Every structure is written in C-alpha cells, then in structure tokens.
C-alpha cells in the first residue's frame, strides 16, 4: 500500500539486485524507500540477509537508516528512510 502497489510512477531506480520504490507509511506519513529484491538475483536470500545484517548495524548521519524488512508470499523487501535529494551516484556521475 505504501508504494501504491509498486507502481511504476513510484519507481526511484533499478540497482544490481532489485528495484527501489518511493512510498509513504499510512499512519505516520513517513516517506520511505522500498527495495524489492529481484527474483533474477543469483544470490537472492544471501544478499537479503547480508544487507539486513550490515545496514542494520550501521548508524551515521550521512547514511539512510534501514527501518525494516518483510517477506510476504516469498517476496523480499527492505524498507529504508527516504533520502529526498537522490542517490550519491547521481551527484558523482551525472554529467548534466
């Protein structure tokens, strides 16, 4: 529900092992970024667990915080705070 059913209009980007969607939590109205781990990913569950463990232990003012994860019906989702200014690679590699 937060991402309007993983709507293409909420798609923020596509990474190495999934798509990232913008969403908003219904009750708190908190903006979030939801990473849907791709079924095409060769490591899938290993990457999912590794990202939970590594980002769950990190805390820094310049890093987005992992808020949670879920596994509905065999799908894998990671939920992060939303960073409104976009990704760092946009500022490093964007030539416009």
């Amino acid at each position: 529900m937060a991402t309007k059913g993983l709507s293409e209009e909420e798609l923020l980007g596509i990474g190495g092992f999934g798509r990232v969607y913008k969403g908003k939590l219904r009750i708190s109205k908190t903006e979030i970024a939801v990473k849907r781990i791709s079924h095409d990913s060769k490591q899938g569950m290993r990457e999912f667990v590794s990202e939970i463990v590594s980002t769950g232990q990190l805390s820094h003012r310049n890093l987005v915080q992992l808020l949670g994860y879920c596994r509905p019906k065999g799908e894998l989702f990671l939920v992060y705070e939303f960073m409104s200014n976009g990704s760092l690679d946009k500022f490093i590699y964007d030539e416009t």
Side-chain angles (χ1 to χ4, degrees), residues 43-56:
Q43 294 179 334
M45 183 58 75
R46 183 181 302 160
E47 290 172 345
F48 181 70
V49 171
S50 176
E51 190 157 345
I52 292 169
V53 170
S54 62
T55 58

Side-chain angles (χ1 to χ4, degrees), residues 12-28:
L12 295 172
I14 301 171
F17 59 98
R19 294 172 172 246
V20 180
Y21 298 87
K22 182 177 180 183
K24 187 179 279 192
L25 297 178
R26 187 175 46 165
I27 295 173
S28 68

Side-chain angles (χ1 to χ4, degrees), residues 7 37 51 56-58 73 77 88 92:
S7 166
I37 307 299
E51 190 157 345
Q57 295 174 350
L58 296 174
K73 301 178 184 174
F77 294 95
L88 180 60
I92 293 173

